[in-house]
Amino acid sequence: MKQQGLLNPQLNALIARLGHTDTFVVADCGLPVPRDVPVVDLALCFGIPRFADVVSHVLAEVVIEGCTVASEAGDRVRSWLPSITEEVSHEELKRRVARAAFVIRTGETTSFANAIFHCGVPF
């Protein structure tokens, strides 16, 4: 059994496959996801788990070099994220989800609590 870090085996496997410039999404419970994009569905019920908690734990294990959010995202959502490098319309963000390696679905119900993370390298 792992001693620390993420426990979800599906999420661990997908993270291990990420490379430089790959993207993944942490999403609220309402974001539409194209059928061919893998989803790690962590949602238990509305509000659980929270977007901020998932982002915090996932980013502890992944090197990122950028974060894209919808321009409609409010200050609350923005406060949960590392530096935002790009803003696009919510419609454009939804289109870009189709190019993500995977989506992590949370139980978050805050509007526009979705972010696309761009992978970096640790060297």
Side-chain angles (χ1 to χ4, degrees), residues 11 24-28 39-40 42 54 58 102-106:
L11 183 54
F24 66 93
V25 177
V26 179
D28 61 29
V39 176
V40 179
L42 302 180
V54 172
V58 169
F102 59 89
V103 172
I104 304 169
R105 182 174 176 256
T106 70

Side-chain angles (χ1 to χ4, degrees), residues 64-120:
I64 62 160
E65 63 183 18
C67 174
T68 301
V69 297
S71 54
E72 295 90 341
D75 291 339
R76 183 174 184 201
V77 171
R78 292 167 187 277
S79 73
W80 297 331
L81 298 168
S83 60
I84 296 167
T85 55
E86 184 180 23
E87 292 185 26
V88 297
S89 72
H90 186 59
E91 290 305 313
E92 177 61 22
L93 186 130
K94 290 190 291 186
R95 283 190 287 276
R96 292 184 185 191
V97 168
R99 298 191 306 258
F102 59 89
V103 172
I104 304 169
R105 182 174 176 256
T106 70
E108 187 61 55
T109 58
T110 302
S111 298
F112 306 109
N114 305 294
I116 299 173
F117 294 96
H118 306 264
C119 295

Side-chain angles (χ1 to χ4, degrees), residues 2-82:
K2 285 185 70 170
Q3 187 173 9
Q4 61 186 3
L6 299 173
L7 299 178
N8 185 291
Q10 180 189 14
L11 183 54
N12 277 314
L14 290 168
I15 286 173
R17 293 185 49 86
L18 290 170
H20 187 216
T21 74
D22 285 342
T23 63
F24 66 93
V25 177
V26 179
D28 61 29
C29 61
L31 184 72
V33 179
R35 295 193 190 284
D36 60 333
V37 177
V39 176
V40 179
D41 194 341
L42 302 180
L44 178 63
C45 60
F46 289 137
I48 300 174
R50 302 302 308 227
F51 176 88
D53 293 333
V54 172
V55 167
S56 173
H57 288 281
V58 169
L59 295 189
E61 301 210 12
V62 178
V63 176
I64 62 160
E65 63 183 18
C67 174
T68 301
V69 297
S71 54
E72 295 90 341
D75 291 339
R76 183 174 184 201
V77 171
R78 292 167 187 277
S79 73
W80 297 331
L81 298 168

